Amino acid sequence: MAKFQSLKEAVAENLREGDTVAFEGFTHLIPHAAAHEVIRQGIRDLTVIRMTPDIVYDQMIGMGLVKKVIFSYAGNPGVGLLRRMRDAIENAWPRAIETVEHSHAAMANAYEAGAAGLPCAVFRGYRGAGLKEVNPAIKSIVCPFTGEELAAVPAHRPDVAVIHAQKASRRGDVLVEGIIGVQKEAVLAAKRSVVTVEEIVEDFDDLHPNLCVLPHWTVTSIAQVPGGAHPSYTHGYYDRDNAAYLEWDKISADRDLFTAWMKENVLDQGPEVFAQRVKGLQA
């Protein structure tokens, strides 16, 4: 049953040092506010999973919270590198991190397998690809019915899934609109989940029945954080802050500038600043 909490309470109750955590959201609905709360609370030694690690993981890695990243693409979308992630890989600053790279198809299938309670995902993939030479978690199996060789990877079963969504009802059901990505599968695969939302409404009675709704019994904690996906966008609420992504490339290029920015904009701030940041970006 979903519990309504402040973001600080939701993170403190659900995330622990050494957890495996998936912060998911594809193009939009990226849970920046929740990740910033994890940074403020200093929850360390995390294994983080994400199909497309972008600046939210760059920030967590740069603050020394991450020991391992399981991913299928890493970059500042439309801009270039994740400079804090690269610094950690190449120079062990602020600490060394382990990386496990997959294809998008493998990550999506691994989430689906986890959501179904299966130990692994089986799919057609990696034929002619070099990733299996550097990732021992990629295996091959033979279909017992056709004899076809297929790829297999471990299911994603995170301790915690963290997502952002548009609405939650008073009952604790969660509505996700726009590009869905793997948020649904991540929540269903996880032991616990934290969902930040733009608003809380009485019910979903007037909505189309085929929308993507996570029922209250799949969600652990809900926190209302308007603007909580910024600088990514939330469909129907505010646009993507492209300038912030461009600026991040400059900020993250210098260790001292990065450290100062994180103190001013994350450590010394609370989740209420996200609503202020999207005021000029309303859709």
Side-chain angles (χ1 to χ4, degrees):
M1 179 69 71
K3 182 190 297 186
F4 290 91
Q5 299 177 288
S6 69
L7 182 56
K8 183 176 182 179
E9 292 169 335
V11 167
E13 284 192 15
N14 289 289
L15 274 77
R16 300 149 195 166
E17 288 200 1
D19 272 353
T20 297
V21 190
F23 293 79
E24 280 296 350
F26 192 74
T27 304
H28 75 144
L29 299 176
I30 299 170
H32 281 265
H36 284 187
E37 184 59 41
V38 174
I39 292 170
R40 280 191 292 274
Q41 295 190 22
I43 303 172
R44 303 176 63 84
D45 292 330
L46 299 175
T47 295
V48 293
I49 307 172
R50 183 161 157 73
M51 287 188 67
T52 54
D54 54 12
I55 67 174
V56 70
Y57 275 17
D58 212 29
Q59 293 169 356
M60 295 179 69
I61 290 168
M63 295 300 286
L65 304 186
V66 175
K67 68 177 181 181
K68 182 177 181 180
V69 186
I70 302 171
F71 70 106
S72 54
Y73 162 85
N76 184 345
V79 181
L81 302 172
L82 290 182
R83 298 185 184 277
R84 292 299 92 226
M85 183 173 179
R86 181 170 183 168
D87 202 8
I89 293 170
E90 293 184 348
N91 304 307
W93 193 94
R95 62 180 291 178
I97 61 170
E98 180 183 352
T99 59
V100 179
E101 187 174 359
H102 284 287
S103 67
H104 268 12
M107 293 288 287
N109 277 280
Y111 273 123
E112 286 207 358
L118 297 172
C120 68
V122 178
F123 60 103
R124 291 189 179 94
Y126 291 120
R127 293 178 181 174
L131 271 179
K132 60 184 178 182
E133 305 302 324
V134 296
N135 183 351
I138 301 169
K139 305 292 186 183
S140 295
I141 65 171
V142 175
C143 174
F145 304 104
T146 65
E148 180 182 4
E149 184 177 317
L150 300 168
V153 296
H156 289 331
R157 298 300 301 272
D159 296 303
V160 188
V162 182
I163 67 168
H164 187 73
Q166 280 89 349
K167 298 176 182 178
S169 71
R170 295 290 178 191
R171 190 173 68 167
D173 302 324
V174 173
L175 171 68
V176 184
E177 295 182 290
I179 301 172
I180 302 300
V182 293
Q183 291 96 306
K184 176 185 69 175
E185 288 80 7
V187 168
L188 295 177
K191 299 173 185 175
R192 304 178 298 280
S193 58
V194 174
V195 181
T196 55
V197 295
E198 293 293 328
E199 61 177 320
I200 297 170
V201 298
E202 196 61 36
D203 54 53
F204 294 158
D205 291 350
D206 59 342
L207 299 179
H208 193 282
N210 287 334
L211 293 170
C212 180
V213 176
L214 286 163
H216 59 278
W217 47 266
T218 67
V219 177
T220 310
S221 296
I222 295 172
Q224 184 177 5
V225 186
H230 178 270
S232 75
Y233 72 98
T234 292
H235 175 76
Y237 288 80
Y238 46 88
D239 295 330
R240 189 178 190 266
D241 189 347
N242 292 319
Y245 285 90
L246 290 168
E247 186 66 19
W248 182 253
D249 190 54
K250 301 173 186 176
I251 294 164
S252 61
D254 181 83
R255 293 177 182 175
D256 291 337
L257 184 58
F258 161 79
T259 302
W261 189 94
M262 292 298 293
K263 182 178 187 306
E264 180 180 353
N265 294 278
V266 179
L267 298 179
D268 293 345
Q269 299 287 348
E272 65 279 353
V273 301
F274 282 84
Q276 300 169 16
R277 291 171 181 170
V278 302
K279 280 185 177 179
L281 300 168
Q282 268 79 10

